[in-house]
Amino acid sequence: MVAHSVQGAVFGPAQRLHCRTYVVDAILRSQALDADSIAVDIGRAAQELRTVVSALSYRNLDDEPEFARLNTTTEELARVMADRLAAARVNAGAFGEAARGLAGIAVTLRESHVALATYERTL
């Protein structure tokens, strides 16, 4: 759950401060499995996703300096989360050794069953 506003006439009333509640999904893509037949330690990946989500939860993003130049659309927040997960993967193997072979990360934020956005990046 976040509070924010977005800039631009295309957003109509969403230009005013409002709240969004998201369901967050992350897909970690791999082209190979390790000797244990896994691409990533799913427990570690879940913990890293919780860490990324909790850093944004219950915040007014308009007050956060890191978002001062960003239009915090659902798509932009999906990109931020994917980039943060990628950084965790690159730094010291936070997802476990198997994750060093990951090919990509996709993060989907769902506002409802008809309103969602996915951002995908390669590693």
Side-chain angles (χ1 to χ4, degrees):
M1 180 179 294
V2 298
H4 71 143
S5 59
V6 286
Q7 304 304 307
V10 68
F11 297 107
Q15 293 177 85
R16 294 187 299 272
L17 184 64
H18 62 281
C19 292
R20 287 280 188 247
T21 300
Y22 297 108
V23 173
V24 181
D25 295 314
I27 297 172
L28 306 171
R29 300 192 190 283
S30 179
Q31 297 176 347
L33 303 179
D34 71 2
D36 295 313
S37 296
I38 63 172
V40 65
D41 180 324
I42 198 70
R44 286 182 175 186
Q47 180 57 48
E48 292 300 324
L49 181 58
R50 278 191 294 275
T51 298
V52 166
V53 170
S54 68
L56 299 171
S57 294
Y58 296 100
R59 303 257 192 295
N60 179 347
L61 300 181
D62 294 352
D63 293 340
E64 300 293 325
E66 69 182 295
F67 295 113
R69 292 190 166 111
L70 298 178
N71 211 11
T72 54
T73 61
T74 302
E75 296 87 342
E76 184 66 37
L77 292 176
R79 183 196 63 78
V80 166
M81 290 183 185
D83 288 349
R84 289 180 180 185
L85 285 173
R89 180 231 169 231
V90 171
N91 294 334
F95 293 164
E97 286 303 311
R100 294 193 187 280
L102 287 177
I105 293 175
V107 173
T108 300
L109 274 63
R110 298 176 194 277
E111 295 180 51
S112 73
H113 69 289
V114 295
L116 59 96
T118 298
Y119 182 87
E120 185 169 349
R121 59 164 290 158
T122 58
L123 296 173

